Amino acid sequence: MTLNLRSTAALCAALTVCLLLAVPGNFPGLGADARFTLAVFVLATCAWIGTSIDDTYIALGAGLALTVTGVISSDTLFGTLGDATVWLLICAFVLAAAVSRTGLAGRAAVFLVSGARTVRQLVHLTTAALVVTAFAVPATSGRAALALPVFLALAKVLADRKRLVVMLALLFPTVILLSAVATLIGAGAHLITVSVLWEATGQHIGFTEWLLLGLPLAVASSHLAAELVLLTTTRRADRRGPVHITPEQIQRHSEQPVTGPWSQAEKRCALLMATVVLLWCSEPLHRVPPALVALIGAVIASSPALGTVRLKDALKTVPWSLLLFMAATMAMGVALTDSGAAKWLVSGLPAGGAPVVFLAVVIAVSTAAHLVLQSRSARSSVLVPLVVAASVGVGVNPVAAALASTAAAGFCHTLPASAKPVTLFAQIPGTPTYTPRDLLRLSAFLAPLTAALVLLFAVAVWPLLGISVTR
């Protein structure tokens, strides 16, 4: 089997760094544990970039190597699986399975989309609906799977207007990816960021605080991106024609009722989700942890009397591979911090530089990182520990730096393989969709726009909400 250029470059880089770390005279002040941690970290990163080996397998191997050599304890490695953020994600997927089973998503789509009378209204109403799904379905791939039937129904209704169908095909994954920052459960990378901040600084970001910081950014970036998608994929003539989508047209392409009286199951599920989201948002008042609220909701959603889905069926929807990946990378983050490797990596950075310049560099690197690391969680696993350590050295608030990096890493639209939602909507048999050229054209405008927007929020909006730029 021949290695491609990317794999060869990654392998050479990993071996070179490991050989340099193995020489005792190199890098004075770097202890044995820190050397080994850096070697494992580099090998894992290069394997993520240059091989087709499963990301979770690589992360578990790295965590195992750090545990066997004593860099971290077995309690640290296994304890990450019991982290509250992992339980939050498990329970959120159970709740999402309950929502999917009832067909509430179809009713919500009809409620919003059927009110559109122009193409621009259709685009922004669809965007608003996709932003809302971040509260009900965790992870971007889950939201893409939930939204696909809605898109297919719209594509059938607009079959005679091909450019609009292509535009919607690009709109759905674009908004799903950018709006994930709205909630803590929007992406596994968010949970990794929260864990790294807690381990490195002792600062905890709860569901409510993340919502306060992330939702405005999600709304702004999603609607700006929607305008870009509309302008880059359609012509003025396409946008000028009227749009009229009726509930009956959508119903013809939906297996579940989207109009008419609500069933008892739909009413119970809607009430449960509203209660869970309300309790998440009011955490500072009742002090019940979001993971416990999610667990209560999951137990009710899968209960024989009140639930809408069986527990064993709901658990099948949980991405266990992602959870193991998160746990292993959390352990890697602990090793980077405790061994002193992260501190050493950033010790050469000049202190006292302009905080805005530092944040701009972090955001630029995080925005471009998807070109080498396709997994969003892997990007945060690599970048956030280093960003947190570096921010302390230059006097920048580590919370602001970590949030900016994580938000910027949400941009991954350049190639069809850059993110699972982009891949999913790029390959729809029998339905017109976008090409790699369409993605490149959109990314040329969207990448600088989203990076500038994240920087604006980090230096002008988040300080008003309690997250200052400097420490």
Side-chain angles (χ1 to χ4, degrees):
M1 177 178 176
T2 60
L3 293 174
N4 58 33
L5 182 61
R6 188 177 187 179
S7 299
T8 303
L11 178 62
C12 291
L15 292 177
T16 300
V17 173
C18 290
L19 287 174
L20 290 173
L21 289 169
V23 178
N26 290 336
F27 316 117
L30 194 61
D33 283 353
R35 287 173 182 271
F36 186 77
T37 300
L38 284 177
V40 170
F41 189 76
V42 169
L43 286 171
T45 302
C46 291
W48 283 327
I49 294 172
T51 73
S52 59
I53 301 174
D54 185 81
D55 290 344
T56 301
Y57 187 84
I58 296 170
L60 287 173
L64 182 61
L66 293 169
T67 304
V68 169
T69 54
V71 177
I72 57 174
S73 66
S74 59
D75 289 341
T76 299
L77 177 65
F78 297 129
T80 54
L81 275 173
D83 192 272
T85 55
V86 173
W87 278 92
L88 174 63
L89 198 58
I90 292 173
C91 297
F93 270 99
V94 173
L95 289 168
V99 172
S100 300
R101 184 66 61 92
T102 61
L104 284 173
R107 287 187 181 272
V110 167
F111 176 75
L112 286 170
V113 175
S114 61
R117 293 295 176 265
T118 66
V119 173
R120 182 163 274 108
Q121 284 181 353
L122 174 64
V123 166
H124 286 284
L125 287 173
T126 301
T127 298
L130 291 172
V131 171
V132 171
T133 62
F135 294 91
V137 182
T140 53
S141 55
R143 293 169 62 204
L146 180 69
L148 184 59
V150 178
F151 163 73
L152 290 174
L154 293 175
K156 295 292 184 183
V157 174
L158 299 170
D160 59 334
R161 303 174 71 175
K162 182 179 176 181
R163 287 186 183 276
L164 292 189
V165 176
V166 173
M167 180 272 296
L168 288 174
L170 188 53
L171 176 71
F172 271 72
T174 297
V175 175
I176 286 170
L177 290 168
L178 293 180
S179 62
V181 73
T183 70
L184 183 59
I185 62 171
H190 303 169
L191 305 179
I192 292 172
T193 297
V194 169
S195 176
V196 170
L197 279 171
W198 172 252
E199 294 289 344
T201 67
Q203 294 177 276
H204 175 69
I205 299 180
F207 187 94
T208 306
E209 188 175 6
W210 190 290
L211 180 69
L212 183 65
L213 299 169
L215 181 57
L217 175 59
V219 172
S221 61
S222 296
H223 283 279
L224 285 173
E227 277 294 320
L228 270 180
V229 170
L230 182 62
L231 295 175
T232 57
T233 57
T234 62
R235 298 171 181 170
R236 183 173 298 177
D238 301 318
R239 299 190 291 271
R240 188 180 298 121
V243 171
H244 183 59
I245 300 174
T246 65
E248 290 73 23
Q249 289 174 314
I250 296 179
Q251 180 66 78
R252 287 199 293 268
H253 308 286
S254 176
E255 297 179 358
Q256 297 165 317
V258 297
T259 58
W262 285 35
S263 66
Q264 290 299 318
E266 288 175 318
K267 292 178 182 178
R268 291 197 304 269
C269 189
L271 178 61
L272 176 62
M273 284 304 305
T275 304
V276 168
V277 173
L278 179 62
L279 290 174
W280 278 341
C281 296
S282 58
E283 179 191 357
L285 299 177
H286 53 70
R287 299 296 181 184
V288 179
L292 184 57
V293 171
L295 180 58
I296 295 171
V299 170
I300 295 174
S302 58
S303 64
L306 301 175
T308 59
V309 65
R310 293 189 300 175
L311 182 59
K312 66 177 183 180
D313 293 332
L315 290 176
K316 291 178 182 178
T317 68
V318 177
W320 298 105
S321 178
L322 172 62
L323 297 177
L324 288 174
F325 177 86
M326 285 174 50
T329 52
M330 286 177 189
M332 291 173 63
V334 172
L336 277 172
T337 302
D338 291 352
S339 68
K343 184 177 180 180
W344 179 84
L345 277 175
V346 299
S347 60
L349 294 177
V356 175
V357 174
F358 174 80
L359 287 174
V361 172
V362 166
I363 291 169
V365 172
S366 301
T367 301
H370 72 282
L371 296 174
V372 290
L373 278 172
Q374 295 179 352
S375 167
R376 191 171 186 165
S377 297
R379 293 198 293 275
S380 288
S381 301
V382 172
L383 292 173
V384 173
L386 302 181
V387 167
V388 170
S391 63
V392 174
V394 299
V396 174
N397 184 352
V399 175
L403 286 174
S405 174
T406 305
F411 173 82
C412 37
H413 302 66
T414 306
L415 302 170
S418 294
K420 291 178 182 177
V422 179
T423 304
L424 178 64
F425 279 86
Q427 302 172 354
I428 306 177
T431 303
T433 186
Y434 48 84
T435 64
R437 184 177 179 180
D438 294 324
L439 284 174
L440 289 173
R441 183 169 58 245
L442 174 65
S443 297
F445 297 98
L446 189 57
L449 176 66
T450 54
L453 192 62
V454 172
L455 182 61
L456 174 65
F457 268 76
V459 301
V461 179
W462 290 343
L464 301 177
L465 302 174
I467 304 298
S468 60
V469 175
T470 55
R471 300 185 68 192

